[in-house]
C-alpha cells in the first residue's frame, strides 16, 4: 500500500463567474520513501494540490488516504491531533514564511511548542539543536535573525521547522526557486540526504524541469488543474508523450555545444479554468489539435510501463 493515495481529488473555488477548477479529478499514489515531482506552469493547480493534501484547503470532493486512512474527510480536530505533524510543508520563499522578529532557535522551536509534542524546556532546546545540526546550521546561529542569514541558510531553517515534528510526508513547494543556483544544489542535496536518512516521502512542486529530473522518482505533469501525464521520471525524459509535456521539456537548456534542442513555443489562448467545457483543456494551444479534442475530454490512460497520458492521440504524435 502506498503511503499517500489520492483519489479523484477536486478543489474548486467559487468566483464571480462560476467555479474555478483549481484541482480537477487528480488521482495518484505516492510510495513511502520516494519523491513525486509535480510540474506545470504557474496557475496549473500544483500548489493548490499540495495545500489540499495537507488540509490548508478543504477538498471539494475526493479522498486523500494516509496509510489507508482518509484524512480529507475526517474532522479537522482529529486531523490536527493525529496527522498534522505527519505532513509538513516547505515553502518557496523562506524570507516571507519566517517571522523576522523571531531568532533561529525560536523559529525552530515554534512548531514543537504549538504541537505540544514536547513540553519540557530542556527537551525542546535539545530538539532544536538536533534539528540545526541535521540541516547543517551551526549552533552559534541559534540567536541570529533571518535577515542576518543568506537565502540557503534561511531555507535550512524552513527545513528544520518542517522536520522538527518527525513528519513522514513533506510537501516541498518550489523550495529552491528563490535561491541562487549554487545554493539550490546544496539544498537539493540536503533534502535527498534527509530522505535517505529518515525514509521521508516528498511531493516536490516546481516549474523547473531540470530540478525535478534531478530529484524525482516519478513525475506528474499538470495542466489547468488536471494531471495530463504521469510516469517514472526517467521514462518521461526518454519518451514524452503529451504535447504539453513535450513543450515543457523543450525549454530545458542543453549543456552541450553540439546539442541544440528546438524550443516549442506555445501559441493560442489559455482555456479558462472557470467552468471549463468537457474537452481537452490544452486544445487551443496544442499544435496537433483535431476536432475530437474540442468535443471530448481525454482521460488518463495507461500506455504501458505505468506511463499514463491524457491525450486522444498519445503514441501517434
Ligand atoms: Fe493535443 Fe488533442 Fe492531445 Fe489535447 S487531446 S493534447 S489537443 S492532441
Amino acid at each position: 500500500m502506498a503511503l499517500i493515495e489520492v483519489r479523484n481529488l477536486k478543489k474548486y473555488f467559487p468566483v464571480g463567474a462560476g467555479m474555478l477548477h483549481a484541482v480537477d479529478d487528480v488521482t495518484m499514489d505516492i510510495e513511502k520513501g520516494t519523491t513525486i515531482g509535480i510540474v506545470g506552469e504557474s496557475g496549473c493547480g500544483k500548489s493548490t494540490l499540495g495545500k489540499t493534501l495537507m488540509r490548508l484547503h478543504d477538498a471539494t470532493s475526493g479522498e486523500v488516504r494516509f496509510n489507508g486512512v482518509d484524512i480529507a474527510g475526517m474532522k479537522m480536530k482529529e486531523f490536527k491531533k493525529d496527522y498534522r505533524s505527519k505532513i509538513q510543508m516547505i515553502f518557496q520563499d523562506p524570507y516571507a514564511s519566517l517571522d523576522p522578529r523571531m531568532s533561529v532557535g525560536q523559529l525552530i522551536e515554534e512548531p514543537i511548542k504549538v504541537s505540544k509534542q514536547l513540553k519540557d524546556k530542556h527537551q525542546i532546546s535539545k530538539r532544536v539543536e538536533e534539528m540545526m545540526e541535521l540541516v547543517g546550521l551551526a549552533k552559534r546561529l541559534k540567536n541570529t535573525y533571518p535577515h542576518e542569514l543568506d537565502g540557503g541558510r534561511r531555507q535550512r531553517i524552513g527545513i528544520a521547522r518542517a522536520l522538527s515534528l518527525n513528519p513522514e510526508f513533506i510537501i516541498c513547494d518550489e523550495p529552491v526557486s528563490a535561491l541562487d543556483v549554487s545554493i539550490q544544489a546544496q539544498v537539493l542535496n540536503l533534502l535527498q540526504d534527509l530522505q535517505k536518512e529518515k525514509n521521508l516521502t516528498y511531493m516536490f512542486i516546481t516549474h523547473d524541469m531540470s530540478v525535478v529530473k534531478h530529484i524525482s522518482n516519478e513525475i506528474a505533469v499538470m495542466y489547468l488543474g488536471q494531471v495530463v501525464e504521469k510516469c517514472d521520471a526517467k521514462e518521461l525524459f526518454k519518451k514524452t508523450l503529451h504535447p504539453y509535456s513535450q513543450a515543457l521539456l523543450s525549454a530545458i537548456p542543453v549543456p552541450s555545444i553540439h546539442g541544440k534542442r528546438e524550443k516549442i513555443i506555445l501559441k493560442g489562448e489559455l482555456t479558462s479554468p472557470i467552468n471549463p467545457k468537457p474537452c481537452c483543456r490544452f486544445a487551443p494551444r496544442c499544435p496537433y489539435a483535431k476536432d475530437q479534442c474540442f468535443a471530448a475530454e481525454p482521460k488518463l490512460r495507461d500506455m504501458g510501463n505505468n506511463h499514463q497520458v491524457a491525450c486522444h492521440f498519445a503514441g501517434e504524435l
Side-chain angles (χ1 to χ4, degrees):
M1 183 176 62
L3 178 71
I4 305 289
E5 297 165 289
V6 181
R7 294 290 174 269
N8 309 102
L9 189 70
K10 294 182 183 174
K11 177 61 196 170
Y12 297 171
F13 295 98
V15 290
M19 278 292 187
L20 189 148
H21 293 215
V23 174
D24 212 353
D25 210 12
V26 168
T27 289
M28 60 176 61
D29 285 348
I30 313 171
E31 300 295 330
K32 191 164 178 61
T34 66
T35 299
I36 186 162
I38 308 288
V39 293
E41 297 162 297
S42 46
C44 72
K46 51 192 193 309
S47 291
T48 308
L49 171 64
K51 287 177 181 162
T52 310
L53 293 192
M54 70 172 299
R55 295 207 49 182
L56 293 178
H57 296 312
D58 271 333
T60 303
S61 65
E63 287 183 6
V64 179
R65 294 186 214 126
F66 185 101
N67 261 335
V69 178
D70 180 20
I71 55 170
M74 69 173 48
K75 289 206 170 78
M76 185 51 100
K77 202 172 158 195
E78 197 184 336
F79 173 77
K80 280 188 175 165
K81 182 170 141 292
D82 297 332
Y83 291 92
R84 170 66 87 217
S85 60
K86 294 186 201 303
I87 308 175
Q88 290 292 304
M89 198 155 185
I90 298 170
F91 296 93
Q92 173 179 7
D93 184 353
Y95 201 50
S97 59
L98 300 175
D99 186 338
R101 295 163 303 178
M102 292 170 91
S103 68
V104 173
Q106 288 169 330
L107 284 163
I108 300 174
E109 73 180 20
E110 188 192 28
I112 308 170
K113 282 184 169 170
V114 171
S115 72
K116 300 194 176 84
Q117 259 192 17
L118 296 175
K119 288 181 187 146
D120 179 82
K121 242 169 69 180
H122 298 291
Q123 280 182 331
I124 294 175
S125 173
K126 197 167 157 242
R127 172 81 67 88
V128 169
E129 284 171 16
E130 279 166 11
M131 289 303 118
M132 289 181 71
E133 193 181 339
L134 192 65
V135 301
L137 282 171
K139 234 186 195 175
R140 65 182 158 78
L141 299 175
K142 200 170 172 186
N143 294 318
T144 55
Y145 288 82
H147 73 270
E148 298 175 82
L149 304 173
D150 59 42
R153 286 201 179 93
R154 286 201 288 259
Q155 193 53 294
R156 284 172 197 264
I157 302 173
I159 297 171
R161 277 167 64 89
L163 288 173
S164 64
L165 301 177
N166 286 325
E168 293 180 49
F169 178 47
I170 301 186
I171 298 163
C172 310
D173 190 359
E174 303 266 13
V176 295
S177 314
L179 305 177
D180 291 344
V181 178
S182 58
I183 297 173
Q184 281 187 7
Q186 289 173 18
V187 173
L188 288 175
N189 289 340
L190 171 65
L191 287 170
Q192 284 182 310
D193 291 346
L194 291 168
Q195 181 171 47
K196 274 190 218 130
E197 196 178 322
K198 296 186 163 289
N199 200 21
L200 294 167
T201 306
Y202 291 151
M203 171 175 272
F204 199 96
I205 297 168
T206 182
H207 64 277
D208 187 333
M209 293 302 289
S210 349
V211 167
V212 89
K213 183 181 183 185
H214 179 71
I215 198 154
S216 312
N217 300 91
E218 229 194 341
I219 296 178
V221 180
M222 284 187 75
Y223 188 78
L224 285 181
Q226 297 177 318
V227 172
V228 294
E229 185 158 11
K230 186 162 76 66
C231 60
D232 181 87
K234 287 199 191 95
E235 163 100 0
L236 182 73
F237 285 84
K238 219 166 56 192
K239 192 174 160 198
T240 320
L241 294 178
H242 196 283
Y244 176 62
S245 316
Q246 289 167 358
L248 278 185
L249 262 67
S250 77
I252 303 176
V254 181
S256 158
I257 50 166
H258 307 296
K260 194 166 179 260
R261 192 180 356 227
E262 193 146 337
K263 190 170 171 186
I264 302 170
I265 310 281
L266 293 174
K267 297 186 187 118
E269 291 273 308
L270 254 165
T271 303
S272 169
I274 301 169
N275 300 339
K277 293 192 186 84
C279 62
C280 175
R281 293 182 191 179
F282 185 56
R285 299 169 83 193
C286 180
Y288 309 105
K290 299 182 178 54
D291 289 349
Q292 189 186 343
C293 309
F294 293 92
E297 188 170 69
K299 298 286 174 203
L300 270 183
R301 59 196 168 105
D302 201 322
M303 303 297 292
N305 215 6
N306 209 14
H307 190 152
Q308 298 179 353
V309 189
C311 169
H312 293 307
F313 303 102
E316 301 168 31
L317 303 172

